[in-house]
Amino acid sequence: RAQLWKETWIADINERGIPITKDIDPLKVLASEADIAGWQNEGLPSDRISVENAAVVTSCSRWPLMIDPQLQGVKWIKQRLGEDSHILQ
């Protein structure tokens, strides 16, 4: 993700002349430290990938596809939304 952001998206944004803050972190745009702490209290693992995934899931207007072989995301979603959510496996 970092490589995609730094080498592809930033270059495209600059090429199109879109203003962008130097050294911006997309995670900081999508989530605050309070959001991240809240997610971790709900059972989300603290690694960067899990936090990035949570930021995307909570920022989407539609439900994204989650590939979750270790079921960590499923556990977090169940904790966050309750057992009434529908999970396809």
Side-chain angles (χ1 to χ4, degrees), residues 35-85:
D35 293 329
I36 295 168
W39 300 334
Q40 291 172 350
N41 285 338
E42 294 169 343
L44 184 73
S46 60
D47 64 281
R48 172 91 182 185
I49 295 295
S50 294
V51 173
E52 287 177 354
N53 288 340
V56 170
V57 167
T58 58
S59 299
C60 288
S61 59
R62 296 178 182 246
W63 292 104
L65 172 64
M66 290 179 57
I67 300 172
D68 187 22
Q70 296 177 342
L71 302 179
Q72 293 174 328
V74 169
K75 179 182 172 189
W76 174 68
I77 292 289
K78 282 183 177 180
Q79 181 72 23
R80 183 173 176 80
L81 300 177
E83 293 294 327
D84 293 336
S85 57

